[in-house]
Structures are given as structure tokens and as C-alpha cells.
Amino acid sequence: MYSLKNYINRGYTFLNNRFLPGHRKLSTLAIFGTDLCDSACKHRLIWTKRPVNYLPFERIKELMNSSCVTRNTTIALAGGEFLLHPQAVDIMKWFRKYHTNFDLLTNALKPNELQEAVKQATPRRLFISLDGDEDTYLYMRGKDGYDGIIKSIEVLHKIVPISLMFTLSPYNDFDDLAHVITICKKYNADLRVGVYNDISFFDTVEEAHNNEIGSLKNTDIRSFSEAKELIRLSASKKKSSINSPIASNKNLASIKENLPESLKEFAENYDYLVLYDEWRRGNVKLSCNSILDSLVVLPNGDIPICQNLDVLTGNIFTNTLDQIVYSPKTREMQKHYSKNCNACWINFHRKYDIILYRNFERFFGKYATSKLLGYYWWDSEKKKSYGQIINKR
């Protein structure tokens, strides 16, 4: 799914941003076109947001004219559900004409509309959310969308490269992961595993890293009123720590011992989950380098420093994207959080950091990597190399 060229381009951008911070370029720009969502997920309650926000098409075009955006910048069109934006297809057509390096993220709950949109304006990659088998999907996402997703994959997998996005959470389990892997192998699709995190934009309410995988899996479907009440009750519990959350539940099962054997065929995801198990116990520390080259624009125009922290660098309705990216204030904020924050295991950020540290360590060793990227460790002993940790599998 990702070629050597993708990694080379991101490596080049990393070096550019490291040594020429005043001329920073973006590797990834995620545009959350709307917070409207037609799902009813338990693991994120964004579908209850009111009033609904839509990022105007003209403002999206302005973003793309920014100096920090290059032809190699990957654009991710997301939401909510991006296809619920009233100009979704027109926006995709514009990208197809002027910036072909764009991806579409979707829940595929409207399979006919999705198939037509992809045929009219084919993205570089298509990311479809699938969190388990038919029953798990219904009870985790609150909608009977499984069959439509499979039909969309059948129709589109020969037209566009597809990644299935699986979120490992308290609401599903390792059997669900094995099921999604089977679908990936059947249709030659890529697998993108993430883990449930506390992300305020998505209105998450459960404490992500202290609940056992599968512990909240049930056959209930969450109503709108119930979801709003949960958001209200959880509002005062939001945390802003920049440290990894050492799990208070000391009896958490070992993720590595429960991972399906088939996941090893998708090595990047296997490593990500093995290290997540260490991180949630407070045993992994990596500086956060993805915030230097990857940004998210929310439907109301806000640009947070990352997907996890409630820290804003600016708003595109107040300043241009270049003014925000190149401002001394933003650069100081990024410098601080890049060195000090270890607070999430969001795949948008952490997979990049894993790959970065792993490759630097491979070629230069732990000491030189620490000097260049910041002091780090992979487990509680703090001295083991990446290979020593992962090869124990």
C-alpha cells in the first residue's frame, strides 16, 4: 500500500523540517470536511455533534495553495463521514484534477454513493472502517452496514487500493481482528490497525487504556440521548497529561499473547500492537516527530497540534495555513510537545515515530539515535533495541 517512494519523500520532509524549520513542508494534511456522521459508534460519539460543521470547498482550495503543501503532500479527506459533505464529490473531482495524491476515509455506510464517488473521482487510496464481523459491527457501530462494506470492497478493490481500518478497543476483540485480516487477504487489501484513544474531537468517553480489550463488547445499541448524556458526564474527566498513562489496571492481559498469528503477515501492525502493550504499561517512550510534518484541519477551521491534545495552533478562518505553520508560536509549541509528549498511541502519529526510530536505530545505533531524535526506550529495561523487543515474537 505504501511504496518505498512514500517513505523516501517523508524522510526528505523530516530532514527539511529538522534543519529548515522556517520552510516547513507537510507530509500529510488531514482535512476533516465535516463532523456529520451517519454511524452510531460506541467508541466515538462524533455522530451526536450539533450544530454540524462543514469546511467550505473554497477554504479547502485555499489550503491547497499554501506554501507548506507540496505535490508530495498526502491529503486525507475524512470526517465525520466525508461523503456527507454537500460538495464531497465535487471536492474529490477537484483533487483528482489538481492534486491526485489524496486518500478518502469512509465508513462506507452508503455503498452506492461511495462506489459512484470513487468511480467519478478515484482517490490514490481508499480507507474503509471495519471493526469486526457482522455482529460486532452492528453492536459496535450501531448500524447494519457490514454487508454494504463487503459489497463495496468487492466492487472497488480492482479499481483503487483499499485499506481496511480496524480499531482494537474494549468494544471488540482479537477474534474480530482475525476476521478483518481474513477479509484483507481475500481481497488483497491493506490492513491499518489503530487502537482506541481518548480523542476529544471524536467525543470519546471511555478511559481508553485501562479497559481490557473486549471488556465492553455487548449487544446494546447506544441511543442518541444516551450518548449525549455520556458526553456530558465525561466532560469534567478529560485529561491533558503529556505523559503515557501507566495503566491503573495491573491485570491487563498481554496483547502480544492474544494477537492472531495471521497478523504477522502485516508486520507494521503487529509491531505497533506489541509496542502498544508496553506503552500502556508505561514502558515505552518516544518523542513525537509526526507533529512537525502532519496536520489536521477540523470542520470548524481549528488546527490542533495533534489529534490527541486539546492544544490549538490556530484557525484557518482567522489566519492562513502558512501563517499558522510558519509562526514562531507554532514552532515553539511543536518543539516543546515533540520533545516532551508521550501521551497517545494514535496510529496517525505513533506509527511514524516507530518507523523513524526503528530505521535510525538500525543504521546508527541507539546512542546516535537518542542524540538526534531524543532519549527513548522500547520497554521497561530501557536498554533493549527494537530488534530485541520485536524479535521475541
Side-chain angles (χ1 to χ4, degrees), residues 337-353:
Y337 285 103
S338 176
K339 288 183 177 180
N340 297 295
C341 190
N342 191 41
C344 82
W345 207 253
I346 297 172
N347 59 351
F348 184 76
H349 299 292
R350 287 280 120 162
K351 283 188 176 180
Y352 174 63
D353 292 320

Side-chain angles (χ1 to χ4, degrees), residues 110-339:
K110 288 183 167 51
N112 293 333
E113 289 86 341
L114 170 63
Q115 293 166 34
E116 186 61 28
V118 169
K119 290 174 183 178
Q120 289 188 51
T122 308
R124 184 68 58 89
R125 291 173 288 257
L126 177 64
F127 292 79
I128 299 176
S129 297
L130 184 61
D131 293 314
D133 62 19
E134 187 170 5
D135 287 338
T136 296
Y137 189 92
L138 173 62
Y139 298 125
M140 181 173 172
R141 290 192 166 253
K143 295 293 179 71
D144 186 13
Y146 181 88
D147 288 342
I149 289 174
I150 299 303
K151 289 177 182 177
S152 291
I153 297 171
E154 289 175 347
V155 171
L156 297 175
H157 80 283
K158 293 183 179 180
I159 298 175
V160 60
I162 293 177
S163 284
L164 297 186
M165 299 184 295
F166 177 90
T167 302
L168 188 65
S169 75
Y171 305 98
N172 56 7
D173 56 28
F174 300 101
D175 289 338
D176 293 307
L177 175 55
H179 177 83
V180 174
I181 291 172
T182 300
I183 301 299
C184 286
K185 293 170 70 173
K186 180 178 180 179
Y187 295 103
N188 194 31
D190 180 43
L191 176 67
R192 296 280 105 184
V193 174
V195 296
Y196 175 66
N197 281 268
D198 303 311
I199 303 176
S200 61
F201 172 67
F202 293 127
D203 285 327
T204 55
V205 295
E206 304 290 352
E207 191 175 359
H209 310 295
N210 280 305
N211 285 298
E212 188 59 86
I213 302 302
S215 62
L216 300 177
K217 186 174 180 179
N218 56 47
T219 58
D220 297 331
I221 293 179
R222 191 163 282 170
S223 68
F224 185 89
S225 59
E226 179 188 1
K228 292 296 284 186
E229 177 65 9
L230 286 171
I231 293 171
R232 186 188 70 80
L233 293 174
S234 67
S236 61
K237 300 179 182 178
K238 294 296 182 182
K239 300 177 180 178
S240 58
S241 171
I242 62 173
N243 299 310
S244 59
I246 300 177
S248 60
N249 183 355
K250 300 302 181 183
N251 297 315
L252 289 172
S254 168
I255 287 178
K256 182 167 69 172
E257 294 176 3
N258 286 281
L259 292 175
E261 188 69 19
S262 55
L263 185 63
K264 292 181 180 179
E265 299 177 43
F266 301 86
E268 179 183 309
N269 298 284
Y270 180 91
D271 297 0
Y272 170 76
L273 288 181
V274 169
L275 290 171
Y276 169 62
D277 200 25
E278 293 288 342
W279 173 83
R280 68 177 181 160
R281 301 171 196 275
N283 297 335
V284 175
K285 182 183 186 303
L286 303 173
S287 62
C288 186
N289 294 279
S290 64
I291 61 174
L292 303 178
D293 76 347
S294 298
L295 290 182
V296 171
V297 181
L298 301 182
N300 66 353
D302 283 344
I303 299 182
I305 196 166
C306 69
Q307 288 196 14
N308 185 63
L309 298 174
D310 293 327
V311 178
L312 297 181
T313 60
N315 185 291
I316 61 168
F317 292 106
T318 304
N319 297 101
T320 67
L321 181 61
D322 283 335
Q323 287 172 338
I324 294 169
V325 169
Y326 297 134
S327 75
K329 175 186 174 183
T330 296
R331 287 159 56 184
E332 283 302 311
M333 291 170 62
Q334 290 175 327
K335 182 179 179 181
H336 170 74
Y337 285 103
S338 176
K339 288 183 177 180

